[in-house]
Amino acid sequence: CRGWLVTAFDQSGQPQAAIDTLLDLLEYSPRSLDTCRDLAERFAAAGDDVNAERAATSLVESAPVEASHQIALAKLRQANEDWEPALGHWQQAVSLRSEDPQPLLSLTRLQWLHGDRDHAREGLKTLKLTEWDERFKEVDERIAELVRLMQR
């Protein structure tokens, strides 16, 4: 329902109707990451920074102790080049999902790129010393990419 209705409003040049539809959907599914992210992006595109921020923060307000929500907001902050809050949300995700290397990989990379070299080195050390579950097959390759980045 959501997809085709929002798409129909988009195709007919009715961005506010698409936003209104997403707001209605959010009432029925307040923990929907896709809906919150879509709303934040649409409000930002419309120049409504207040509602864009409200939609973005609702990503974590609805489930503050779920790593997936912290990750979603961290990615949104990064896409908007809002680095300090992005780092904070990545740190939260790492603490909530310590058994998963992906949040730590993302945090370490962002720390390195933004000059927090000491913390990035600590993150890399943790990544290398941790025995990750076999379901994370790509972790060694991602660590190698991080090492190459840090050697530049």
Side-chain angles (χ1 to χ4, degrees), residues 38-86:
D38 196 0
L39 271 171
E41 291 169 356
R42 287 171 185 275
F43 279 129
D48 187 345
D49 295 336
V50 171
N51 281 319
E53 180 61 19
R54 190 173 293 145
T57 57
S58 68
L59 285 167
V60 293
E61 288 172 351
S62 65
V65 295
E66 289 193 28
S68 59
H69 291 248
Q70 295 289 341
I71 291 168
L73 188 51
K75 288 179 178 180
L76 184 63
R77 297 290 191 215
Q78 273 187 251
N80 294 329
E81 298 181 358
D82 198 0
W83 308 119
E84 289 302 317

